Amino acid sequence: SGGSPLWGRPGLSESAIVDRALVAYFSGEADNQREAAINRRLDRLTRQFGRIERDNLVLAETLATFVHYFLTVTPPVPANQVEAARAKGDLRFDLFVRQVAEALRSGQRILQNAVEDVTAEAASFESDTGPLTEERADA
């Protein structure tokens, strides 16, 4: 007998086993089930990738906005205050790192929550005002 578990089933003749195998093969049932499972997985991966892409865009824009602001408003430090400024910066950075670690540990997502709030606000604004390209009657 072959290595297939079907051969060992009591009460099944070889022709019944061959019939079942041929029906399954030609009906494509297994292929359809596999394809549906693959499609569900691809859909889920596509949604996850979209969220990752959006999050990366938010991070890049956040960083660019901060750097632009920092470079625009931060005056140069006088030479006699550089060491004190570095020490103060190190303390502030340590506090920042601790705050980020605590936010990650507790599950709080300050930026994510803010982005979701702004996105919801923008969607609400768009639905309240209608399309921005409408012609005005009084124009």
Short mmCIF file of all heavy atoms in Angstrom, two decimals, residues 67-110:
data_model
loop_
_atom_site.label_atom_id
_atom_site.label_comp_id
_atom_site.label_asym_id
_atom_site.label_seq_id
_atom_site.Cartn_x
_atom_site.Cartn_y
_atom_site.Cartn_z
N VAL A 67 12.73 69.84 13.48
CA VAL A 67 14.06 70.32 13.06
C VAL A 67 13.94 71.71 12.47
O VAL A 67 14.74 72.61 12.78
CB VAL A 67 14.72 69.33 12.07
CG1 VAL A 67 15.95 69.94 11.42
CG2 VAL A 67 15.08 68.04 12.79
N HIS A 68 12.94 71.93 11.63
CA HIS A 68 12.75 73.25 11.04
C HIS A 68 12.52 74.30 12.13
O HIS A 68 13.14 75.37 12.13
CB HIS A 68 11.57 73.23 10.06
CG HIS A 68 11.34 74.55 9.40
ND1 HIS A 68 10.36 75.42 9.81
CD2 HIS A 68 11.98 75.15 8.37
CE1 HIS A 68 10.40 76.50 9.05
NE2 HIS A 68 11.36 76.36 8.17
N TYR A 69 11.64 73.98 13.07
CA TYR A 69 11.36 74.91 14.16
C TYR A 69 12.63 75.16 14.98
O TYR A 69 12.97 76.31 15.28
CB TYR A 69 10.25 74.33 15.06
CG TYR A 69 9.98 75.16 16.29
CD1 TYR A 69 9.20 76.31 16.21
CD2 TYR A 69 10.52 74.80 17.52
CE1 TYR A 69 8.97 77.08 17.34
CE2 TYR A 69 10.29 75.57 18.65
CZ TYR A 69 9.52 76.71 18.55
OH TYR A 69 9.30 77.47 19.67
N PHE A 70 13.32 74.09 15.35
CA PHE A 70 14.53 74.21 16.17
C PHE A 70 15.57 75.09 15.48
O PHE A 70 16.15 75.99 16.10
CB PHE A 70 15.11 72.82 16.44
CG PHE A 70 16.36 72.84 17.26
CD1 PHE A 70 16.30 72.95 18.63
CD2 PHE A 70 17.61 72.77 16.64
CE1 PHE A 70 17.46 72.98 19.39
CE2 PHE A 70 18.77 72.80 17.40
CZ PHE A 70 18.69 72.90 18.78
N LEU A 71 15.80 74.85 14.21
CA LEU A 71 16.82 75.62 13.48
C LEU A 71 16.38 77.07 13.26
O LEU A 71 17.22 77.95 13.13
CB LEU A 71 17.13 74.96 12.14
CG LEU A 71 17.79 73.58 12.24
CD1 LEU A 71 17.92 72.97 10.85
CD2 LEU A 71 19.13 73.66 12.95
N THR A 72 15.08 77.29 13.25
CA THR A 72 14.58 78.64 13.01
C THR A 72 14.62 79.50 14.27
O THR A 72 14.95 80.69 14.20
CB THR A 72 13.12 78.57 12.50
OG1 THR A 72 13.10 77.78 11.32
CG2 THR A 72 12.58 79.95 12.17
N VAL A 73 14.28 78.93 15.42
CA VAL A 73 14.11 79.76 16.61
C VAL A 73 15.24 79.66 17.63
O VAL A 73 15.29 80.47 18.55
CB VAL A 73 12.78 79.44 17.33
CG1 VAL A 73 11.60 79.67 16.40
CG2 VAL A 73 12.78 78.05 17.90
N THR A 74 16.13 78.70 17.50
CA THR A 74 17.18 78.53 18.50
C THR A 74 18.37 79.43 18.18
O THR A 74 19.02 79.27 17.15
CB THR A 74 17.65 77.06 18.56
OG1 THR A 74 16.52 76.24 18.80
CG2 THR A 74 18.68 76.86 19.65
N PRO A 75 18.65 80.37 19.08
CA PRO A 75 19.80 81.25 18.85
C PRO A 75 21.10 80.49 19.18
O PRO A 75 21.09 79.53 19.93
CB PRO A 75 19.58 82.39 19.84
CG PRO A 75 18.77 81.79 20.93
CD PRO A 75 17.93 80.72 20.30
N PRO A 76 22.21 80.92 18.61
CA PRO A 76 23.49 80.30 18.95
C PRO A 76 23.82 80.53 20.43
O PRO A 76 23.44 81.54 21.01
CB PRO A 76 24.51 81.01 18.07
CG PRO A 76 23.77 82.03 17.27
CD PRO A 76 22.33 81.99 17.65
N VAL A 77 24.49 79.55 21.02
CA VAL A 77 24.86 79.64 22.43
C VAL A 77 26.21 80.38 22.52
O VAL A 77 27.16 80.01 21.82
CB VAL A 77 24.98 78.23 23.05
CG1 VAL A 77 25.45 78.30 24.49
CG2 VAL A 77 23.65 77.50 22.94
N PRO A 78 26.29 81.38 23.37
CA PRO A 78 27.58 82.07 23.56
C PRO A 78 28.66 81.08 24.03
O PRO A 78 28.36 80.12 24.75
CB PRO A 78 27.30 83.12 24.64
CG PRO A 78 25.81 83.30 24.63
CD PRO A 78 25.24 82.00 24.18
N ALA A 79 29.88 81.30 23.61
CA ALA A 79 30.98 80.37 23.89
C ALA A 79 31.14 80.09 25.38
O ALA A 79 31.43 78.95 25.77
CB ALA A 79 32.28 80.92 23.31
N ASN A 80 30.91 81.07 26.24
CA ASN A 80 31.11 80.87 27.68
C ASN A 80 29.96 80.08 28.32
O ASN A 80 30.03 79.75 29.50
CB ASN A 80 31.32 82.21 28.39
CG ASN A 80 30.09 83.10 28.29
OD1 ASN A 80 29.20 82.88 27.48
ND2 ASN A 80 30.08 84.14 29.12
N GLN A 81 28.90 79.76 27.55
CA GLN A 81 27.75 79.02 28.11
C GLN A 81 27.55 77.63 27.47
O GLN A 81 26.59 76.94 27.77
CB GLN A 81 26.47 79.83 27.93
CG GLN A 81 26.48 81.13 28.70
CD GLN A 81 25.22 81.96 28.43
OE1 GLN A 81 24.33 81.52 27.72
NE2 GLN A 81 25.19 83.16 29.00
N VAL A 82 28.51 77.23 26.59
CA VAL A 82 28.35 75.97 25.86
C VAL A 82 28.30 74.77 26.81
O VAL A 82 27.44 73.89 26.69
CB VAL A 82 29.47 75.79 24.81
CG1 VAL A 82 29.49 74.39 24.23
CG2 VAL A 82 29.31 76.82 23.70
N GLU A 83 29.19 74.69 27.76
CA GLU A 83 29.23 73.54 28.68
C GLU A 83 27.95 73.45 29.50
O GLU A 83 27.38 72.36 29.67
CB GLU A 83 30.46 73.61 29.59
CG GLU A 83 31.77 73.25 28.90
CD GLU A 83 31.71 71.86 28.24
OE1 GLU A 83 31.25 70.88 28.88
OE2 GLU A 83 32.12 71.77 27.07
N ALA A 84 27.48 74.58 30.02
CA ALA A 84 26.24 74.59 30.80
C ALA A 84 25.06 74.18 29.92
O ALA A 84 24.18 73.42 30.35
CB ALA A 84 26.01 75.97 31.41
N ALA A 85 25.04 74.65 28.68
CA ALA A 85 23.97 74.30 27.76
C ALA A 85 23.99 72.80 27.44
O ALA A 85 22.93 72.15 27.39
CB ALA A 85 24.08 75.11 26.47
N ARG A 86 25.19 72.22 27.26
CA ARG A 86 25.30 70.78 27.01
C ARG A 86 24.81 69.97 28.21
O ARG A 86 24.10 68.97 28.05
CB ARG A 86 26.74 70.40 26.68
CG ARG A 86 27.12 70.72 25.28
CD ARG A 86 28.43 70.06 24.89
NE ARG A 86 28.75 70.46 23.53
CZ ARG A 86 29.91 70.94 23.15
NH1 ARG A 86 30.91 71.05 24.01
NH2 ARG A 86 30.11 71.29 21.90
N ALA A 87 25.21 70.40 29.41
CA ALA A 87 24.78 69.68 30.62
C ALA A 87 23.25 69.74 30.75
O ALA A 87 22.61 68.72 31.05
CB ALA A 87 25.45 70.28 31.85
N LYS A 88 22.68 70.90 30.52
CA LYS A 88 21.23 71.05 30.58
C LYS A 88 20.56 70.20 29.50
O LYS A 88 19.54 69.54 29.74
CB LYS A 88 20.86 72.53 30.40
CG LYS A 88 19.42 72.84 30.53
CD LYS A 88 19.09 73.07 31.96
CE LYS A 88 17.78 73.80 32.09
NZ LYS A 88 17.42 73.96 33.47
N GLY A 89 21.13 70.18 28.31
CA GLY A 89 20.60 69.37 27.21
C GLY A 89 20.64 67.89 27.53
O GLY A 89 19.70 67.15 27.23
N ASP A 90 21.74 67.43 28.16
CA ASP A 90 21.85 66.02 28.55
C ASP A 90 20.77 65.65 29.56
O ASP A 90 20.15 64.59 29.45
CB ASP A 90 23.23 65.73 29.14
CG ASP A 90 24.33 65.70 28.09
OD1 ASP A 90 24.00 65.58 26.88
OD2 ASP A 90 25.52 65.79 28.47
N LEU A 91 20.52 66.54 30.54
CA LEU A 91 19.47 66.27 31.52
C LEU A 91 18.09 66.22 30.86
O LEU A 91 17.28 65.32 31.16
CB LEU A 91 19.48 67.34 32.61
CG LEU A 91 20.67 67.33 33.58
CD1 LEU A 91 20.63 68.54 34.50
CD2 LEU A 91 20.66 66.04 34.38
N ARG A 92 17.85 67.14 29.98
CA ARG A 92 16.55 67.17 29.28
C ARG A 92 16.37 65.92 28.41
O ARG A 92 15.29 65.35 28.34
CB ARG A 92 16.43 68.42 28.41
CG ARG A 92 16.21 69.68 29.21
CD ARG A 92 16.13 70.88 28.30
NE ARG A 92 15.82 72.07 29.05
CZ ARG A 92 15.89 73.29 28.55
NH1 ARG A 92 16.27 73.48 27.30
NH2 ARG A 92 15.60 74.34 29.30
N PHE A 93 17.46 65.51 27.74
CA PHE A 93 17.37 64.33 26.89
C PHE A 93 17.11 63.07 27.73
O PHE A 93 16.29 62.22 27.35
CB PHE A 93 18.64 64.16 26.05
CG PHE A 93 18.55 63.01 25.08
CD1 PHE A 93 17.78 63.12 23.94
CD2 PHE A 93 19.23 61.82 25.33
CE1 PHE A 93 17.68 62.06 23.05
CE2 PHE A 93 19.13 60.76 24.44
CZ PHE A 93 18.36 60.88 23.30
N ASP A 94 17.78 62.95 28.86
CA ASP A 94 17.53 61.80 29.75
C ASP A 94 16.07 61.77 30.20
O ASP A 94 15.45 60.70 30.23
CB ASP A 94 18.46 61.85 30.97
CG ASP A 94 19.90 61.53 30.63
OD1 ASP A 94 20.15 60.97 29.54
OD2 ASP A 94 20.78 61.84 31.45
N LEU A 95 15.52 62.93 30.55
CA LEU A 95 14.12 63.00 30.94
C LEU A 95 13.22 62.59 29.77
O LEU A 95 12.27 61.83 29.94
CB LEU A 95 13.76 64.42 31.40
CG LEU A 95 12.29 64.67 31.72
CD1 LEU A 95 11.83 63.77 32.88
CD2 LEU A 95 12.07 66.13 32.07
N PHE A 96 13.54 63.07 28.58
CA PHE A 96 12.78 62.73 27.38
C PHE A 96 12.78 61.21 27.15
O PHE A 96 11.73 60.61 26.91
CB PHE A 96 13.37 63.46 26.17
CG PHE A 96 12.86 62.98 24.85
CD1 PHE A 96 11.58 63.32 24.41
CD2 PHE A 96 13.64 62.17 24.04
CE1 PHE A 96 11.11 62.87 23.19
CE2 PHE A 96 13.17 61.72 22.82
CZ PHE A 96 11.91 62.07 22.39
N VAL A 97 13.94 60.59 27.24
CA VAL A 97 14.05 59.14 27.03
C VAL A 97 13.23 58.39 28.07
O VAL A 97 12.52 57.42 27.75
CB VAL A 97 15.53 58.69 27.04
CG1 VAL A 97 15.65 57.17 27.09
CG2 VAL A 97 16.26 59.24 25.82
N ARG A 98 13.28 58.84 29.32
CA ARG A 98 12.47 58.18 30.37
C ARG A 98 10.98 58.34 30.09
O ARG A 98 10.20 57.41 30.30
CB ARG A 98 12.83 58.75 31.75
CG ARG A 98 14.17 58.24 32.27
CD ARG A 98 14.35 58.46 33.76
NE ARG A 98 14.15 59.83 34.21
CZ ARG A 98 15.09 60.77 34.23
NH1 ARG A 98 16.31 60.50 33.83
NH2 ARG A 98 14.81 61.99 34.66
N GLN A 99 10.57 59.50 29.61
CA GLN A 99 9.15 59.72 29.30
C GLN A 99 8.70 58.84 28.14
O GLN A 99 7.61 58.27 28.17
CB GLN A 99 8.89 61.19 28.99
CG GLN A 99 8.96 62.08 30.21
CD GLN A 99 8.86 63.56 29.85
OE1 GLN A 99 9.20 63.97 28.74
NE2 GLN A 99 8.40 64.36 30.80
N VAL A 100 9.53 58.70 27.12
CA VAL A 100 9.20 57.83 25.99
C VAL A 100 9.11 56.39 26.46
O VAL A 100 8.16 55.66 26.11
CB VAL A 100 10.23 57.97 24.85
CG1 VAL A 100 10.04 56.89 23.80
CG2 VAL A 100 10.14 59.35 24.21
N ALA A 101 10.07 55.95 27.27
CA ALA A 101 10.06 54.57 27.79
C ALA A 101 8.79 54.32 28.60
O ALA A 101 8.16 53.26 28.46
CB ALA A 101 11.31 54.31 28.63
N GLU A 102 8.40 55.28 29.41
CA GLU A 102 7.19 55.11 30.22
C GLU A 102 5.93 55.06 29.34
O GLU A 102 5.03 54.25 29.58
CB GLU A 102 7.06 56.25 31.25
CG GLU A 102 5.80 56.17 32.09
CD GLU A 102 5.61 54.85 32.83
OE1 GLU A 102 6.61 54.21 33.23
OE2 GLU A 102 4.44 54.43 33.00
N ALA A 103 5.90 55.91 28.32
CA ALA A 103 4.75 55.89 27.41
C ALA A 103 4.66 54.55 26.70
O ALA A 103 3.58 53.98 26.55
CB ALA A 103 4.87 57.03 26.39
N LEU A 104 5.78 54.01 26.27
CA LEU A 104 5.78 52.70 25.59
C LEU A 104 5.38 51.59 26.56
O LEU A 104 4.63 50.69 26.21
CB LEU A 104 7.15 52.42 24.98
CG LEU A 104 7.53 53.31 23.80
CD1 LEU A 104 8.97 53.05 23.40
CD2 LEU A 104 6.58 53.10 22.64
N ARG A 105 5.88 51.67 27.77
CA ARG A 105 5.58 50.65 28.78
C ARG A 105 4.10 50.67 29.15
O ARG A 105 3.46 49.64 29.31
CB ARG A 105 6.45 50.90 30.02
CG ARG A 105 6.67 49.73 30.90
CD ARG A 105 7.65 49.94 32.06
NE ARG A 105 8.08 51.28 32.37
CZ ARG A 105 9.25 51.80 31.99
NH1 ARG A 105 10.10 51.10 31.29
NH2 ARG A 105 9.58 53.04 32.33
N SER A 106 3.51 51.85 29.26
CA SER A 106 2.13 51.97 29.71
C SER A 106 1.12 51.83 28.57
O SER A 106 -0.07 51.72 28.82
CB SER A 106 1.92 53.33 30.38
OG SER A 106 1.98 54.36 29.42
N GLY A 107 1.60 51.86 27.33
CA GLY A 107 0.69 51.76 26.20
C GLY A 107 0.14 53.09 25.73
O GLY A 107 -0.65 53.14 24.80
N GLN A 108 0.52 54.18 26.38
CA GLN A 108 0.08 55.51 25.94
C GLN A 108 0.80 55.85 24.64
O GLN A 108 1.98 55.63 24.51
CB GLN A 108 0.43 56.56 26.98
CG GLN A 108 -0.30 56.42 28.28
CD GLN A 108 0.20 57.45 29.29
OE1 GLN A 108 1.17 58.15 29.06
NE2 GLN A 108 -0.49 57.53 30.41
N ARG A 109 0.07 56.39 23.71
CA ARG A 109 0.66 56.78 22.44
C ARG A 109 0.26 58.23 22.18
O ARG A 109 -0.76 58.50 21.55
CB ARG A 109 0.17 55.88 21.31
CG ARG A 109 0.49 54.42 21.48
CD ARG A 109 2.01 54.18 21.35
NE ARG A 109 2.32 52.77 21.38
CZ ARG A 109 2.67 52.12 22.47
NH1 ARG A 109 2.74 52.74 23.63
NH2 ARG A 109 2.96 50.84 22.42
N ILE A 110 1.05 59.14 22.67
CA ILE A 110 0.73 60.56 22.57
C ILE A 110 0.59 60.99 21.12
O ILE A 110 -0.41 61.58 20.73
CB ILE A 110 1.80 61.41 23.30
CG1 ILE A 110 1.78 61.11 24.80
CG2 ILE A 110 1.59 62.90 23.03
CD1 ILE A 110 2.94 61.69 25.56
#
